[in-house]
Amino acid sequence: NGLNKIDTYGVSLRGEPIDLPAGPVSIAIGAEGRNLSTANTVGALDAAKAFSTFYFSSLRGKYDVKEAFAEIVVPVVRDVPMLRKLELNGAARASDYSTSGTSWSWKLGATNEFLPGVIGRVARSRDIRAPNVSELYSNQTVSYVGVVDPLYSSEGSRSVLVYGGGNASLRPEKADTWTAGITTAPMRGLTASIDYFNISIKDVITSISAQVLVDRCNTGNASLCNYITRGTDGRIASVASSSVNLSEFKTDGIDAELAYTMPVNNNANGKLTFRLLGTWVNHFTTDDGISKVEYVKSQGYAFVNGVPRIRANASVGYASDGFSGLVRARYLSSGYWNRTSKALTNNHIPAYTYVDLQLSQKIPFGEGKHFELYGNVSNLLDKEPPLYSTFSPYYDVIGRYMTVGARLEF
């Protein structure tokens, strides 16, 4: 049984107190606050540690945060060739957490309409993310996981006791972010956008798998060695694999989207939509001060912070007053089950494409009312996932999955 509770309050003031030749200056100021708490109890069997492979523990925790913020948008130039609408914007926020003290976040940016429908943007920001209630106080878990001990690698994988759960000593993450992009609508129904992102996060909060923790300890990260307990025979007896603050995380890449909508069957207000969107990741690295690890293409192991190099969705959809349908393809580029593991002989994962289908039919009855039947099929071709990717966020481990339903308006 569990109870999560949040109480919020706030006050804000917004307006346009100053008029400039290019337009009014917009401002906003305010204050906010939140009180968060969690309390969870476990059953008698968990409390008695009756399970030999996995069990939970009770937890209780709370924290509060008080914040003050200010935002401003300043129009600079208007109706000038290549500077049709140039605006500068800025924001600042002070956050006082009962668990970690005061942190500042801010943002500076600019937007400009170069040509009709062609808008560019750039932003530089300092962002923070405090650990949430779950990361601070989540239930302690106990499980047994196969781990290869670098000191006894010839023995292969051994079952090791692994403790998971929250960490009340976590500090807020601090991110420095650059983004730049452009959006355009060159013709009726056609839109396109492309954005570059570069993110560097210090004190990043993450859960390190038992194997990665052991490997990093072996390469010289003494702070992570503190989470490993060895028995009298020198072999690993247990690993505390809870959330921790790593030194630094960096990623950069490109997001892009292309969409086109055209009218079809005007009598039924039909529209045909083509859409393509995707992400290309250049780097996705963590640096704990001792070793720098690249996680791009490390995408099969759920307990590693890996991402595919390319992810893309392409869809063709039709929608009208009565019938709608959509076919979507989800693409994942090739990669590895775990790029950080050198001992695996079947580590490679080929590129994957999943196909989904959605259908819906509305049947009118009465005045302005309708009865709707719908059906969805995920992984239409029932594509098998990569070997041992059970908890991966990228692969469909269930197989073909169908849902049908009905909606009635009355």
Side-chain angles (χ1 to χ4, degrees), residues 206-273:
T206 186
S207 295
I208 306 178
S209 71
Q211 185 65 68
V212 173
L213 192 150
V214 168
D215 290 342
R216 289 193 178 184
C217 167
N218 186 63
T219 58
N221 191 328
S223 63
L224 294 182
C225 295
N226 295 330
Y227 295 93
I228 301 171
T229 301
R230 293 185 177 272
T232 55
D233 60 355
R235 290 166 176 78
I236 296 175
S238 66
V239 177
S241 182
S242 59
S243 296
V244 296
N245 288 103
L246 288 183
S247 294
E248 191 170 30
F249 157 85
K250 289 185 178 181
T251 187
D252 67 290
I254 294 173
D255 291 325
E257 181 175 358
L258 179 67
Y260 178 64
T261 301
M262 58 183 294
V264 177
N265 186 12
N266 289 333
N267 292 332
N269 295 317
K271 291 183 178 181
L272 190 62
T273 300

Side-chain angles (χ1 to χ4, degrees), residues 165-204:
N167 181 354
S169 300
L170 291 173
R171 302 181 301 276
E173 297 177 338
K174 295 181 180 180
D176 293 311
T177 303
W178 279 99
T179 59
I182 191 166
T183 299
T184 180
M187 57 181 287
R188 184 175 181 179
L190 178 64
T191 60
S193 67
I194 185 168
D195 289 273
Y196 170 76
F197 60 87
N198 187 304
I199 305 171
S200 175
I201 306 176
K202 294 185 177 180
D203 290 330
V204 60

Side-chain angles (χ1 to χ4, degrees), residues 2 9 112 118 165 186 223 262 280 283 315 347 352 361 367 370:
Y9 56 90
N112 180 52
V118 180
S223 63
M262 58 183 294
W280 172 79
H283 291 294
S315 63
N347 204 7
Y352 264 65
Q361 177 66 53
E367 184 175 352
H370 65 263

Side-chain angles (χ1 to χ4, degrees), residues 22 44 53 58 72 103 154 168 175 188 190 210 239 242 256 287 293-294 331 365 371 377 383 386 399:
T53 58
S58 299
I72 187 169
S103 298
S154 61
R188 184 175 181 179
L190 178 64
V239 177
S242 59
D287 187 344
V293 182
E294 174 65 76
Y331 172 80
F365 73 95
F371 176 74
V377 184
K383 191 175 183 67

Side-chain angles (χ1 to χ4, degrees), residues 63-65 67 95-105 126-132 135-136 167-175 200-206 244-247:
Y63 74 89
D64 62 78
V65 56
E67 297 181 308
S95 304
D96 182 29
Y97 289 88
S98 61
T99 53
S100 55
T102 301
S103 298
W104 283 87
S105 57
R126 160 61 65 87
D127 307 294
I128 65 167
R129 188 187 77 84
N132 57 41
E135 291 165 332
L136 290 168
N167 181 354
S169 300
L170 291 173
R171 302 181 301 276
E173 297 177 338
K174 295 181 180 180
S200 175
I201 306 176
K202 294 185 177 180
D203 290 330
V204 60
I205 299 171
T206 186
V244 296
N245 288 103
L246 288 183
S247 294

